């Protein structure tokens, strides 16, 4: 077995939160750094909260980020079609592909042959592993390490309230632990379906966390916990131990909010006689107020950032920087550099504050450095959103526009406001530009500019330079008084990209048409 097998085990109960994406990234970097295996497991046993659409989005978001998994629900070849078509964000479309995939994944014959060929550890969705959990429950029942509990929600709540009132720690006090067989039969006869609780031993649980060091929990403070619910579904702590063991997971890397679960999980490892993996609990992402990052802080899901036009590389890079540091303190890193420089030991113990401005700063760098032709492809959905008809764009010309404006973009979603000046149908005079063009001296500059353009011919760059020289000579205008009127007339705005480049992209005729409209 591989020396390094890690897993990301999301529950498909909502959109992929950046905190979870960061957990996935840490696991992925760890696996890639050590040449190990990155497993994706879907923890979908909470039927009331799990949804297929969330699963689909989860897989799509991970693929979009480039966090490729070696084993997981997509293992069937049909799944790779989803990845190769790329994520377009259409839920319906994605759901369809996923259904096709599921049919492949459910094909038992496929699984068998794969298992023989590659050492298959699936299925990778917990809802497809229920028989495995049941077998394991029977082992604990046979060893008398668990017991059926018939307490109702109301009874449990009453117990909890009483403990809180008497200032004791709320936990299950073991009411059903020592029921006689007759008492159990009585409950069953009354139609009660039991959950199963683990008999928590009165002992100290100790383990060494790779990030947090020595950890210690007292069994005496922990109540007997549910491992299988009354509806037959396994509880998280139970399923996760069985899966991590059977899937050969060597390192469990997850958020510190799972630290107390780890104590329970170690008890179950012992009960089964399994060797526990190594644990590493990283800090959580916090908002500026140091509370756990949540919706009230703003955007928190990978999907939201994708829709805003954050590039996957920028988000990945940013999440990698959060709460971990790379050897040489550099901040703009390629995936390969992140993999090489990653060390769990360097992950910070304290929470990392999510700074959207820094994410935007990184995004701007990635946009600027992206080859224009690739960027244009990524921009298409955002252009459509801004009301542009993709089919009508002359891309040979449009690439020049993007080449010029990409230096000023922070997100892809801003594209419309940066390119409108190049399209006659969208070009409009702002209040600021109008004010400039009301001055007599400005009208003069624009008039002379128009006059020059009427007869000019040749290369637009040369025409522009010569026109400027001509206007200077004729009007005596210079600096702002020269360039602002030209900018205002040409672009309708008071700020924007370099004028000579704007002129060259517009071309002489289009420029003249705009300028002429101000000459009365
Ligand atoms: N399904 C759990 C979660 O999403 C997994 C936690 C773990 O990594 O063990 O929080």
């Amino acid at each position: 077995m591989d020396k390094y097998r890690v897993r990301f085990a999301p529950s498909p109960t909502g959109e992929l939160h950046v905190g979870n994406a960061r957990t996935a990234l840490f696991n992925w970097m760890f696996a890639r750094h050590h040449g190990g295996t990155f497993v994706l497991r879907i923890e979908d046993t909470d039927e009331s909260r799990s949804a297929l659409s969330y699963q689909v989005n989860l897989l799509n978001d991970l693929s979009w980020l480039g966090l490729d998994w070696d084993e997981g629900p997509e293992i069937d070849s049909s799944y790779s079609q989803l990845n190769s078509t790329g994520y377009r964000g259409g839920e319906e479309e994605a759901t369809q592909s996923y259904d096709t995939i599921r049919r492949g994944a459910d094909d038992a014959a496929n699984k068998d042959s794969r298992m023989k060929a590659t050492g298959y550890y699936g299925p990778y969705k917990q809802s497809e592993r229920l028989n495995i959990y049941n077998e394991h429950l029977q082992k604990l029942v046979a060893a008398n390490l668990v017991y059926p509990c018939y307490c109702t929600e109301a009874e449990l709540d009453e117990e909890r309230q009483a403990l809180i009132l008497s200032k004791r720690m709320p936990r299950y006090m073991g009411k059903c632990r020592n029921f006689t067989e007759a008492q159990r039969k009585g409950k069953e006869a009354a139609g009660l379906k039991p959950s199963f609780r683990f008999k928590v031993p009165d002992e100290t649980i100790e383990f060494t966390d790779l990030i947090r060091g020595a950890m210690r929990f007292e069994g005496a403070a922990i109540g007997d916990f549910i491992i299988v619910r009354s509806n037959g579904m396994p509880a998280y702590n139970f399923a996760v131990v069985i899966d991590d063991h059977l899937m050969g997971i060597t390192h469990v890397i997850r958020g510190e909010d799972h630290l107390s679960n780890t104590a329970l999980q170690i008890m179950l490892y012992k009960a089964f006689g399994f060797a526990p993996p190594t644990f590493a609990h990283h800090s959580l992402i916090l908002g500026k107020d140091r509370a756990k990052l949540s919706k009230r802080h703003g955007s928190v899901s990978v999907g939201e950032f994708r829709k805003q036009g954050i590039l996957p590389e920028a988000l990945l890079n940013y999440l990698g920087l959060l709460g971990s540091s790379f050897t040489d303190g550099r901040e703009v890193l390629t995936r390969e550099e992140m993999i090489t420089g990653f060390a769990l030991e360097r992950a910070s113990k304290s929470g990392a504050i999510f700074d959207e401005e820094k994410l935007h700063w990184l995004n701007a760098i990635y946009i600027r450095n992206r080859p224009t032709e690739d960027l244009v492809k990524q921009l298409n959905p955002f252009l459509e959103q801004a009301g542009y008809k993709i089919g009508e764009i002359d891309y040979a010309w449009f690439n020049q526009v993007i080449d010029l404006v990409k230096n000023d973009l922070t997100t892809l979603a801003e594209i419309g406001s940066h390119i409108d000046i190049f399209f006659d149908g969208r070009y409009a005079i702002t209040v600021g530009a109008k004010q400039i063009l009301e001055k007599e001296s400005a009208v003069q500059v624009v008039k002379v500019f128009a006059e020059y353009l009427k007869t000019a011919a040749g290369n637009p760059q040369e025409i522009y330079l010569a026109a400027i020289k001509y206007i200077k000579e004729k009007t005596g205008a210079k600096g702002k008084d020269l360039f602002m009127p030209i900018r205002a007339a040409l672009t309708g705005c008071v700020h924007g990209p370099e004028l000579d480049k704007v002129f060259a992209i517009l071309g002489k005729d289009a420029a003249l048409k705009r300028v002429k409209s101000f000459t009365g």
Side-chain angles (χ1 to χ4, degrees):
M1 190 187 294
D2 293 354
K3 248 176 106 189
Y4 296 96
R5 285 179 60 84
V6 293
R7 78 329 186 254
F8 175 53
S11 305
T13 54
E15 297 300 325
L16 180 62
H17 186 283
V18 284
N20 285 336
R22 178 160 153 271
T23 303
L25 172 63
F26 278 21
N27 277 284
W28 178 84
M29 289 194 287
F30 184 82
R32 297 291 173 258
H33 181 95
H34 292 288
T37 304
F38 178 50
V39 177
L40 175 64
R41 183 173 70 227
I42 302 293
E43 305 210 323
D44 58 347
T45 52
D46 186 343
E47 290 169 306
S48 62
R49 294 177 58 222
S50 300
L52 184 61
S53 62
Y54 288 137
Q55 266 181 57
V56 172
N57 287 352
L58 245 163
L59 302 184
N60 279 330
D61 283 342
L62 290 174
S63 303
W64 178 77
L65 283 169
L67 298 178
D68 53 330
W69 51 98
D70 307 305
E71 293 172 26
E74 99 305 5
I75 197 156
D76 301 83
S77 57
S78 51
Y79 215 102
S80 58
Q81 287 165 14
L82 178 68
N83 290 341
S84 63
T85 55
Y87 183 32
R88 306 245 302 275
E91 191 168 299
E92 228 166 77
E93 183 189 350
T95 309
Q96 266 178 11
S97 344
Y98 191 68
D99 279 343
T100 325
I101 290 145
R102 280 208 319 152
R103 278 200 294 281
D106 290 342
D107 179 340
N110 256 346
K111 275 182 200 163
D112 279 355
S113 60
R114 240 189 356 251
M115 223 184 298
K116 279 174 205 132
T118 62
Y120 173 72
Y121 295 90
Y124 294 94
K125 276 170 65 176
Q126 287 190 328
S127 57
E128 293 171 9
R129 300 173 62 82
L130 299 181
N131 56 340
I132 301 178
Y133 306 129
N134 191 36
E135 277 164 25
H136 282 77
L137 171 66
Q138 298 318 322
K139 285 185 192 166
L140 295 187
V141 170
N144 196 23
L145 294 172
V146 295
Y147 60 90
C149 169
Y150 300 92
C151 292
T152 61
E153 266 312 312
E155 284 169 320
L156 293 172
D157 201 44
E158 203 177 306
E159 179 180 79
R160 208 164 22 236
Q161 296 308 331
L163 285 168
I164 293 171
L165 268 179
S166 60
K167 297 207 162 37
R168 283 186 292 164
M169 200 157 51
R171 66 199 150 107
Y172 184 65
M173 300 300 282
K175 184 173 166 194
C176 299
R177 188 170 182 159
N178 298 316
F179 269 12
T180 61
E181 210 40 48
Q183 279 174 304
R184 283 178 186 155
K185 288 228 164 77
K187 294 281 184 189
E188 307 258 338
L192 288 174
K193 286 230 172 312
S195 58
F196 282 86
R197 286 186 185 267
F198 180 68
K199 293 181 181 171
V200 171
D202 183 5
E203 60 184 32
T204 305
I205 299 293
E206 288 179 295
F207 66 96
T208 305
D209 188 279
L210 269 190
I211 298 173
R212 322 192 88 77
M215 304 301 304
R216 192 186 158 100
F217 291 88
E218 295 303 332
I222 300 170
D224 294 344
F225 57 91
I226 293 180
I227 56 166
V228 173
R229 299 184 199 290
S230 55
N231 65 2
M233 293 305 257
Y236 157 71
N237 281 310
F238 182 62
V240 88
V241 165
I242 296 166
D243 292 347
D244 284 343
H245 172 73
L246 293 180
M247 293 183 181
I249 299 303
T250 57
H251 294 73
V252 168
I253 305 167
R254 60 187 170 203
E256 64 176 336
D257 48 343
H258 284 292
L259 254 180
S260 54
N261 283 327
T262 303
L264 312 191
Q265 291 171 20
I266 289 178
M267 290 177 196
L268 291 174
Y269 277 101
K270 280 194 177 170
F272 282 121
F274 300 156
T278 301
F279 293 96
H281 290 87
H282 61 71
S283 60
L284 301 183
I285 302 186
L286 310 177
K288 287 212 161 112
D289 55 359
R290 300 204 71 83
K292 192 174 159 187
L293 187 73
S294 70
K295 281 202 176 106
R296 71 190 167 81
H297 291 108
S299 302
V300 290
S301 70
V302 169
E304 282 170 298
F305 288 112
R306 177 170 40 77
K307 285 188 197 117
Q308 283 170 23
I310 299 289
L311 295 184
E313 297 79 359
L315 186 55
L316 205 68
N317 189 156
Y318 181 63
L319 293 177
L321 292 182
L322 264 185
S324 67
S325 59
F326 293 89
T327 14
D328 53 5
R330 276 176 49 211
E331 297 202 299
V332 184
L333 298 137
T334 64
R335 296 150 62 84
E336 286 66 33
E337 287 167 334
M338 288 207 286
I339 291 169
T340 315
F342 182 72
L344 256 188
E345 298 73 22
R346 266 203 304 278
S348 136
K349 275 187 222 165
S350 49
I353 301 205
F354 194 78
D355 178 356
E356 215 170 311
E357 271 169 38
K358 185 151 184 187
L359 171 61
H360 282 173
W361 168 76
L362 264 176
N363 201 46
I365 296 177
Y366 277 92
I367 292 178
R368 205 180 310 140
N369 293 341
R370 164 96 2 135
T372 298
E373 273 163 36
D374 294 349
L375 188 63
V376 166
K377 282 191 205 119
Q378 276 176 304
L379 278 169
N380 279 339
F382 296 93
L383 290 169
E384 275 175 349
Q385 230 172 61
Y388 281 86
K389 295 208 170 66
I390 304 293
E392 292 172 8
I393 293 179
D394 165 6
Y395 280 95
W397 169 81
F398 190 60
N399 281 354
Q400 298 173 50
V401 174
I402 298 306
D403 210 32
L404 180 59
V405 303
K406 71 177 183 181
N407 297 330
D408 299 323
L409 285 180
T410 305
T411 66
L412 301 185
E414 288 168 3
I415 188 65
S417 62
H418 288 265
I419 61 170
D420 286 351
I421 58 168
F422 295 100
F423 293 84
D424 285 342
R426 298 201 160 228
Y427 154 86
I429 307 295
T430 60
V431 179
K434 195 164 169 269
Q435 280 167 357
I436 286 172
L437 293 167
E438 274 162 3
K439 281 198 220 140
E440 186 41 44
S441 58
V443 174
Q444 250 335 91
V445 166
V446 173
K447 264 193 181 152
V448 177
F449 189 31
E451 181 191 306
Y452 185 85
L453 292 183
K454 261 182 222 154
T455 55
N459 167 322
Q461 254 123 6
E462 283 162 16
I463 295 180
Y464 178 80
L465 290 179
I468 295 294
K469 198 164 160 248
Y470 182 75
I471 305 167
K472 268 188 194 162
E473 283 165 10
K474 271 240 146 157
T475 66
K478 54 180 193 249
K480 262 182 134 186
D481 293 335
L482 169 64
F483 292 105
M484 282 311 261
I486 295 181
R487 178 178 292 285
L490 267 190
T491 69
C493 303
V494 291
H495 301 290
E498 295 123 279
L499 267 181
D500 55 337
K501 295 194 174 135
V502 172
F503 182 87
I505 292 173
L506 283 175
K508 191 205 78 174
D509 294 340
L512 177 59
K513 212 169 101 202
R514 290 186 185 185
V515 173
K516 254 196 342 210
S517 64
F518 297 97
T519 57

